Amino acid sequence: MEDVPALVEVSRDPALRQWASSVVEHDADGARWVQAQQRGWAAGGRFGFAVLEAQPGSVREQLVGNVVLKEVISGKPAAEVGYWTAAHARGRGVAPRALEALTSWAFDTFEADGLERLELLHQVDNLASCRVAQKSRYDFDSILPAAPPSFPRDGHLHIRRTSA
């Protein structure tokens, strides 16, 4: 909950709003978003991580992004990953490093439960997400048709397998 003010600030970025599935306008929205992440952990099917960066001269870390593992079900061979990066942290490799950490954790944690592949979806016009997928060794698999309202444009499906 201590990250709520930073989450609200980061969420003001128009580029992030363009791609995000939920909008955080104020502290109450931010608290609801954090609580939803906590419920995902408690239920065992969605695992969100704040991506934090140490700040020189400060004991407090700065929020620079988020990564999430979703749709984790024991025995199901696939789960989905997602991420976002704060505007002030873009272009510094934050998303690929965070996604790599999440990917390693997911396979280490859930491979014994049957997890074989991770799927990364983004809209076709989100070129930055496509670059992150490529840098993170998520191979392009297919074009997915739009599914409005949550996925208003065609998308790319990238896949990373345990053997990658």
Side-chain angles (χ1 to χ4, degrees), residues 6 50 53 81 83 112 115 132-133 136 139 152:
E53 180 177 70
V81 296
Y83 52 87
L115 183 64
V132 169
S136 302
D139 296 326

Side-chain angles (χ1 to χ4, degrees), residues 23-107:
V23 177
V24 175
E25 296 278 353
H26 43 70
D27 285 356
D29 288 343
R32 280 190 291 277
W33 189 86
V34 169
Q35 289 164 345
Q37 305 312 303
Q38 293 167 336
R39 284 191 303 276
W41 275 90
R46 182 183 176 97
F47 304 92
F49 295 86
V51 179
L52 304 172
E53 180 177 70
Q55 295 299 296
S58 174
V59 295
R60 182 117 171 91
E61 296 170 311
Q62 183 178 27
L63 180 67
V64 294
N66 174 265
V67 290
V68 61
L69 177 66
K70 358 181 200 182
E71 301 174 18
V72 178
I73 299 169
S74 184
K76 182 181 173 195
E80 183 182 342
V81 296
Y83 52 87
W84 54 258
T85 306
H88 63 270
R90 290 190 194 123
R92 297 189 288 135
V94 169
R97 287 193 315 271
L99 182 57
E100 185 59 36
L102 177 70
T103 299
S104 295
W105 176 82
F107 285 141

Side-chain angles (χ1 to χ4, degrees), residues 8-32:
V8 172
E9 181 63 31
V10 164
S11 295
R12 291 189 176 121
D13 172 33
L16 184 59
R17 286 175 178 253
Q18 178 181 358
W19 309 117
S21 58
S22 61
V23 177
V24 175
E25 296 278 353
H26 43 70
D27 285 356
D29 288 343
R32 280 190 291 277

